[in-house]
Amino acid sequence: MAAVSVKYPLVWLLLWICVRLSETKHTRVSLDDDVLLPYARGHGPSHSHRRVRDCQSVTHGNATHEARPSGNHSWLPAAESTVFVSSVAGSSRWVYGHMTVVHDPLSSVSVLEPGGPSGCSVSRRASVEETAEDAGCLYAQNAGFFDTRSGKCLGNVVSDGRAVQDSGGVQNAQFGIRRDGSLVFGYLSQEDVLDQSNPFVQLVSGVVWLLRNGEVYINQSLKAECDETQETGKLRTFVDVVSARTAVGHDADGKLILFQIDGQTEVRGMNLWELADFLKSYGVVNAINLDGGGSSTYVRDGSLASYPSDHCESDSRWRCARPVSTVLCVHQRRCRPADCSGHGDCVAGRCRCQEDWQGAACDSLVCSPAACGPHGVCTTNGCVCDAGWRGENCSQECLPGFYGDGCNQTCVCVNGGSCGAVHGHCACPSGFHGNTCEQLCPLGSFGPSCAQECRCDDQCPCDPHTGSCNTTLRGETNNTVHRAGHCLAKQMFTFWRRDEEAHREQPRLTERSWLLVTFTLTSLLSVSLLVHLVRACRGSAGAHFPRRRDYSYVPLTHINGAASRAGADAGKSGFGLDDSDSQEEIWSPSRSGGTEDAA
């Protein structure tokens, strides 16, 4: 019993010690007394990306950032870390720090939010140890700036392909990794940040571009990123002051370089000029400066490996790691995306692509004649489908209601019309026509495209859909026909009334007058007929007597003796007797002698 009673107090003592140690671990809070911020009010310059572009040297053209392909040294470990103690050139100071070389940045580096996902959205601050432990980081260091009062993350943040926030175009030096593995350093427009053709999978903002293409770029950065700072004064002071520093860059082989040195503002460490020269001496090509001062922290295998400059809140004799914002984490290789874009399997942190696919994420199509079928063109980024087709191999037509390139245009057909998948031309149902099938068939026609003619009695309209004559027209059409019929009837009645009135104004003969006129005309015709008959009868009677011929009797005795007299007498008598029908004028012998006696 005595032994048992002794054990219980020992157990309680051990439990109490563990609790106290746990409380002590979590109550060691930084005083945030070594603050090194670049701006006095807010964060970042107020000018646009265009100003940065226009003010830079003409040797860089319009490019305000540098992009280089990252290394892919799969036979090497994910990363290697080195601790160094080095003298600072031109001074008597010595610095202690860490340099980490990442051989495969695309699959081994992540930008983490403080304390895990959604940390920036709730303005959380967490130590690098805490964030790194939860994410399983091999090596980790602090990254972006934050508001020391609210804890808000500042600048652009993209974490493992997830866009956490963008700066709205604020021009500070940036570091990012795009989907194709390219490393990006420099100044980005908002369009660059949001570009989805080759999106960022990791992105974080710093202040001051240290090295550009192997040359110190601090003076140009001072012009681009402008002006005032907080506790340490103007941006120039932020650059010149000695302090703990953190940076990220890359070398000529595409390896990512993480750099951290310990220090204390205005006491020990490096200024940015010394930092740029130090990185350049190690073969770094492009590099930017990250948050420094009391924020500068390095963690290895989940344990703090650097010497913080902030004092602890519980005991100022000790130094405590500051809760910071975003973190650069180096981990074992991971497939990005984890499912290898659906075209491969993740093996040992690398995507093993299926046939016809290639690239670190198995998202690049290996072109072959059958890869995209008859309706697409194969490119390294996949099939580019003809208008009206979609799908990975361009084998599917656009969904109903869509057409064109990428099937991203919306049809405008109405009344049940369907549009062509290529050009979007509307195919109207029976009874409709027009560019968008918005018009009903005209009266008297029906069917598809209104091409058929109604066959109804009295030329009545038919159903525009079926052509049936036994139909009731739609409301508006029926009203139109009713109004047209009413108008036509009114016009017809008006015409008839006018015609009737016109006939009434003309004088008319009475029935008695018509009879009198008829009788008179009949009498005249009868008299005319009688006269013609009488003349006809006389003409027929004269035709029975032969026409007489007149002769002149001249004795021969007169011919020889009295020729001249005979000629004169003949001239007086005219030799020409009248052409008469009287028989007394016909010559006879008895009358001849009597004539002579008279002579």
Side-chain angles (χ1 to χ4, degrees):
M1 291 295 292
V4 173
S5 62
V6 171
K7 289 181 180 178
Y8 280 113
L10 291 175
V11 172
W12 284 109
L13 178 62
L14 290 174
L15 288 174
W16 180 82
I17 293 173
C18 290
V19 171
R20 292 297 297 172
L21 288 174
S22 176
E23 289 177 351
T24 302
K25 179 180 179 180
H26 293 287
T27 55
R28 291 174 66 88
V29 179
S30 165
L31 286 173
D32 289 347
D33 52 347
D34 186 11
V35 178
L36 181 64
L37 295 180
Y39 298 99
R41 293 179 297 274
H43 184 81
S46 58
H47 53 252
S48 67
H49 175 262
R50 181 174 181 177
R51 176 181 168 183
V52 173
R53 182 194 65 194
D54 293 344
C55 292
Q56 70 179 2
S57 172
V58 294
T59 58
H60 301 296
N62 289 328
T64 58
H65 61 272
E66 300 294 333
R68 301 293 177 87
S70 62
N72 185 12
H73 305 88
S74 57
W75 61 91
L76 296 175
E80 296 174 313
S81 179
T82 302
V83 178
F84 64 87
V85 177
S86 178
S87 63
V88 179
S91 73
S92 59
R93 285 177 282 113
W94 288 75
V95 292
Y96 172 86
H98 301 81
M99 181 178 291
T100 306
V101 179
V102 185
H103 300 294
D104 190 359
L106 178 62
S107 62
S108 302
V109 174
S110 295
V111 174
L112 303 180
E113 295 182 71
S118 75
C120 285
S121 63
V122 297
S123 300
R124 181 187 301 147
R125 289 174 59 184
S127 67
V128 177
E129 288 178 270
E130 180 184 350
T131 302
E133 183 179 5
D134 293 340
C137 301
L138 299 175
Y139 311 102
Q141 66 182 37
N142 67 294
F145 290 80
F146 60 95
D147 189 316
T148 56
R149 294 181 295 272
S150 67
K152 178 183 177 182
C153 300
L154 298 175
N156 297 304
V157 179
V158 176
S159 176
D160 292 334
R162 182 173 51 87
V164 176
Q165 69 179 44
D166 72 85
S167 66
V170 173
Q171 294 304 298
N172 285 121
Q174 310 285 325
F175 158 67
I177 305 175
R178 290 194 180 274
R179 185 173 60 187
D180 64 355
S182 58
L183 305 176
V184 179
F185 291 83
Y187 301 114
L188 303 174
S189 67
Q190 192 169 19
E191 289 75 16
D192 294 329
V193 173
L194 302 178
D195 177 29
Q196 293 301 306
S197 62
N198 185 21
F200 282 102
V201 292
Q202 315 293 341
L203 183 63
V204 67
S205 297
V207 173
V208 179
W209 193 349
L210 299 173
L211 294 173
R212 182 173 187 177
N213 293 332
E215 299 298 330
V216 177
Y217 201 67
I218 295 176
N219 280 328
Q220 294 87 334
S221 292
L222 288 170
K223 296 177 182 178
E225 300 186 49
C226 280
D227 205 336
E228 295 183 353
T229 64
Q230 290 193 14
E231 287 85 347
T232 52
K234 296 182 179 180
L235 186 59
R236 185 76 190 201
T237 304
F238 173 81
V239 170
D240 293 340
V241 70
V242 171
S243 186
R245 300 290 184 174
T246 308
V248 59
H250 75 88
D251 65 10
D253 295 328
K255 298 174 184 177
L256 194 68
I257 309 298
L258 305 185
F259 183 84
Q260 182 273 332
I261 60 168
D262 293 332
Q264 185 173 354
T265 303
E266 298 182 346
V267 177
R268 51 191 172 88
M270 285 184 175
N271 60 41
L272 293 188
W273 303 99
E274 295 166 342
L275 176 59
D277 289 335
F278 188 90
L279 292 172
K280 182 178 178 180
S281 68
Y282 276 86
V284 176
V285 178
N286 288 288
I288 69 167
N289 174 66
L290 299 174
D291 192 9
S295 297
S296 184
T297 309
Y298 187 82
V299 170
R300 178 171 183 165
D301 293 327
S303 298
L304 182 64
S306 61
Y307 293 92
S309 59
D310 278 352
H311 293 88
C312 295
E313 188 177 85
S314 58
D315 190 341
S316 61
R317 295 175 300 174
W318 302 99
R319 302 297 174 103
C320 290
R322 176 187 294 175
V324 295
S325 180
T326 52
V327 169
L328 280 177
C329 169
V330 181
H331 47 70
Q332 294 292 353
R333 289 183 175 91
R334 298 174 185 172
C335 294
R336 300 186 186 278
D339 64 347
C340 297
S341 304
H343 305 300
D345 300 316
C346 185
V347 179
R350 301 186 63 82
C351 288
R352 183 175 296 171
C353 301
Q354 300 171 357
E355 186 178 1
D356 295 332
W357 292 93
Q358 63 184 355
C362 297
D363 56 351
S364 179
L365 190 66
V366 179
C367 288
S368 62
C372 298
H375 304 296
V377 177
C378 186
T379 69
T380 56
N381 293 325
C383 293
V384 177
C385 300
D386 297 337
W389 295 89
R390 62 186 179 88
E392 288 186 353
N393 57 357
C394 303
S395 61
Q396 304 173 36
E397 282 192 274
C398 292
L399 294 172
F402 298 92
Y403 72 97
D405 293 330
C407 298
N408 56 5
Q409 300 187 59
T410 305
C411 296
V412 294
C413 306
V414 296
N415 293 319
S418 59
C419 70
V422 178
H423 301 294
H425 294 160
C426 294
C428 300
S430 181
F432 294 96
H433 73 113
N435 292 335
T436 60
C437 305
E438 76 282 5
Q439 302 178 34
L440 198 64
C441 283
L443 294 177
S445 61
F446 73 98
S449 301
C450 304
Q452 302 182 55
E453 184 178 353
C454 295
R455 301 292 183 182
C456 301
D457 296 338
D458 301 323
Q459 297 183 350
C460 290
C462 64
D463 186 279
H465 308 289
T466 64
S468 172
C469 298
N470 185 19
T471 184
T472 300
L473 300 177
R474 292 187 176 186
E476 184 60 31
T477 305
N478 190 50
N479 292 336
T480 302
V481 173
H482 177 74
R483 290 194 297 268
H486 181 75
C487 178
L488 181 61
K490 185 175 180 180
Q491 290 179 351
M492 290 176 63
F493 282 121
T494 302
F495 175 76
W496 291 343
R497 188 177 297 110
R498 289 177 180 174
D499 185 64
E500 183 179 355
E501 291 176 354
H503 283 81
R504 286 177 181 175
E505 293 175 358
Q506 296 177 0
R508 295 188 178 184
L509 297 176
T510 63
E511 184 176 357
R512 182 176 179 181
S513 299
W514 278 112
L515 290 175
L516 182 58
V517 170
T518 303
F519 177 77
T520 303
L521 293 175
T522 303
S523 299
L524 291 174
L525 288 173
S526 299
V527 171
S528 176
L529 180 61
L530 183 60
V531 171
H532 282 82
L533 288 175
V534 171
R535 289 182 179 178
C537 290
R538 286 181 179 179
S540 61
H544 296 288
F545 300 97
R547 182 180 295 270
R548 296 194 310 257
R549 295 187 179 180
D550 297 335
Y551 298 94
S552 297
Y553 176 70
V554 179
L556 291 175
T557 56
H558 293 174
I559 294 173
N560 293 325
S564 58
R565 181 171 175 259
D569 292 340
K572 293 179 181 179
S573 61
F575 265 91
L577 299 175
D578 294 336
D579 188 9
S580 171
D581 293 334
S582 176
Q583 293 185 7
E584 285 78 11
E585 296 177 353
I586 301 175
W587 177 84
S588 65
S590 59
R591 292 192 60 176
S592 177
T595 304
E596 292 176 3
D597 291 342

